[in-house]
Amino acid sequence: MNTSDSTNSALFVSTIQTRINDYFKENNCSIKSNWAMHLKIATGTLWWLLSYLVIVFLPLTKWEFFAVYLFHGMGHIFFSFNVGHDALHNAISKSKKINKFWSYSYDLLGVNTYMWRFMHHRGHHACLNIQGEDMSLETAGFFRLSSHEKRKKMHKYQHLYSFVIYGSYLFYYVFVKDYKYFFSKNNIHLKNKSHSRKEWAILFMGKFLYLSYMLFIPLYILPFSWSFIVFTFCVTLFMIGIIMSFTFQTTHIIDTTTYPKSKKEYENYVYHVFETTADYAANNPFANWFFGGLNVHVIHHLRSDICHIHYPALTRIVKATAKEFDVPYRENITIFDAGMAHLKQLKKLGTA
């Protein structure tokens, strides 16, 4: 990179950082939550709690139970995207205690908070799309998600069977993944890491609590066959798995993002983010509300300490600044476009 390019690169980075900070100064607001975020927290809490109370206390018919249980599962998605995720990035409040309190909602939703914090912060944010480091590319061999990964014959069809594997994702997370990483001695992000007795207890108690209210209690108190209740549980987890997988995968694994070999490939992390990350449905009010800002993913990786409630406004600043400096900004206009871009990339990686 010549001196002129290096100077322009540094100017772009400083300009985008300054403009993000200026947004909060000009609007006299905190980078953390506001009344709108508080409303989302209340909405998510009531969604989870009231729908569950309906399941266990109201005399529902068989298919009413099925519908409400699925609705309860949608509440899990909303809560994890909008509350748990922000809390784990310390983005809800300046208070560590408040963030930690809401972060434990992940354990309530079947995912160990402790392991997620390690593997998401160290194993994703710090190494976007880098094979062997970014844990979001690790799929137990079912997918080829990077151009640097060895291709298998089965990957030729990965764009076709992706829905089945993605639907199984939460099953894998609840019953396998957390334990796999917790007991791992060889993972690059957890080498020689010893876990406290507290974290051992939270891991097992969290899983037991999740399975108790999602499966054991309904099996014990509801007048439906065990097979139908287990079927409803499985369908719900399958639905959650598909939605969560596509929400995240469509921001990094699409036909226009890149796969750096190492963190040293780009002069600055900001450029690394722009090359490996994409937004979608940035102007869709529902997407911005339901996905907790995960659809506008570039600003999230630039400043994960900022509450997602500010992301739509900040994304407009990021996009305009990138255009001004002629830096590629990757986006898909709709949710459907993002999904198709991901499937297109899966097909490409599976055949070339």
Side-chain angles (χ1 to χ4, degrees):
M1 179 178 287
N2 60 42
T3 304
S4 177
D5 289 340
S6 182
T7 301
N8 193 60
S9 172
L11 182 59
F12 170 66
V13 172
S14 63
T15 299
I16 201 167
Q17 291 172 341
T18 298
R19 289 178 180 176
I20 290 172
N21 291 330
D22 285 347
Y23 168 82
F24 294 99
K25 293 178 182 177
E26 292 166 3
N27 290 279
N28 192 30
C29 61
S30 168
I31 67 172
K32 305 303 182 182
S33 62
N34 57 18
W35 68 268
M37 181 60 183
H38 298 159
L39 181 60
K40 293 188 84 171
I41 293 174
T43 299
T45 303
L46 290 174
W47 188 339
W48 177 86
L49 180 61
L50 295 181
S51 60
Y52 188 74
L53 292 177
V54 169
I55 289 170
V56 296
F57 288 115
L58 292 189
L60 303 176
T61 65
K62 183 177 182 179
W63 292 107
E64 285 174 343
F65 158 72
F66 181 82
V68 176
Y69 199 99
L70 284 179
F71 180 70
H72 179 69
M74 290 297 293
H76 283 214
I77 299 171
F78 180 84
F79 204 92
S80 63
F81 284 171
N82 288 274
V83 183
H85 187 250
D86 268 33
L88 282 160
H89 281 291
N90 297 312
I92 289 180
S93 171
K94 293 180 180 179
S95 168
K96 291 183 179 180
K97 290 183 178 180
I98 292 176
N99 287 315
K100 193 168 186 178
F101 171 81
W102 288 114
S103 73
Y104 280 122
S105 63
Y106 262 39
D107 289 281
L108 199 60
L109 302 175
V111 176
N112 181 252
T113 299
Y114 174 66
M115 277 294 98
W116 191 95
R117 186 182 288 111
F118 262 108
M119 303 315 297
H120 187 70
H121 293 185
R122 297 184 184 183
H124 178 58
H125 273 255
C127 50
L128 300 173
N129 279 15
I130 298 177
Q131 182 65 32
E133 294 187 44
D134 187 346
M135 292 296 100
S136 65
L137 301 179
E138 191 276 313
T139 64
F142 286 110
F143 292 105
R144 182 179 186 242
L145 298 181
S146 167
S147 56
H148 303 301
E149 186 175 2
K150 184 178 179 181
R151 181 163 55 89
K152 300 179 181 179
K153 289 183 178 180
M154 64 183 288
H155 293 150
K156 181 179 179 180
Y157 308 102
Q158 63 181 9
H159 62 293
L160 299 177
Y161 63 69
S162 59
F163 291 90
V164 176
I165 303 300
Y166 286 165
S168 305
Y169 180 68
L170 192 56
F171 290 95
Y172 175 63
Y173 221 129
V174 171
F175 295 105
V176 178
K177 189 174 183 178
D178 280 331
Y179 299 109
K180 174 185 174 182
Y181 287 143
F182 196 89
F183 296 113
S184 174
K185 300 295 183 182
N186 301 316
N187 186 279
I188 187 173
H189 305 295
L190 292 167
K191 282 185 176 179
N192 302 317
K193 177 66 181 177
S194 60
H195 312 301
S196 68
R197 292 180 180 178
K198 176 184 175 182
E199 297 303 341
W200 278 79
I202 291 175
L203 172 66
F204 289 104
M205 290 302 296
K207 297 294 184 179
F208 178 75
L209 177 61
Y210 172 75
L211 291 174
S212 292
Y213 82 84
M214 285 294 288
L215 190 58
F216 302 152
I217 291 176
L219 282 170
Y220 182 73
I221 68 173
L222 298 182
F224 311 119
S225 68
W226 70 267
S227 58
F228 185 74
I229 293 174
V230 171
F231 168 75
T232 303
F233 172 75
C234 291
V235 170
T236 300
L237 263 65
F238 192 85
M239 172 196 71
I240 294 173
I242 288 179
I243 294 175
M244 285 190 162
S245 294
F246 270 96
T247 297
F248 285 103
Q249 297 291 53
T250 48
T251 59
H252 293 293
I253 314 300
I254 63 170
D255 54 346
T256 58
T257 50
T258 64
Y259 302 89
K261 292 183 178 180
S262 73
K263 299 174 186 177
K264 299 178 181 179
E265 194 159 320
Y266 301 105
E267 183 180 7
N268 190 284
Y269 177 73
V270 171
Y271 279 91
H272 189 137
V273 170
F274 273 90
E275 286 294 309
T276 59
T277 311
D279 291 343
Y280 63 89
N283 297 316
N284 183 327
F286 173 78
N288 288 326
W289 178 79
F290 183 79
F291 293 119
L294 291 172
N295 58 306
V296 280
H297 217 59
V298 173
I299 181 61
H300 172 63
H301 278 288
L302 292 177
R303 288 291 303 274
S304 60
D305 61 320
I306 295 175
C307 180
H308 79 265
I309 207 74
H310 305 291
Y311 284 1
L314 293 175
T315 294
R316 290 190 287 272
I317 293 172
V318 166
K319 185 176 180 179
T321 306
K323 183 178 181 180
E324 180 182 334
F325 283 84
D326 199 28
V327 174
Y329 165 77
R330 294 162 171 80
E331 70 171 328
N332 283 290
I333 303 303
T334 69
I335 298 172
F336 178 80
D337 290 340
M340 292 306 296
H342 175 58
L343 292 175
K344 182 179 178 180
Q345 182 68 347
L346 286 182
K347 184 175 182 179
K348 179 181 176 181
L349 289 170
T351 55

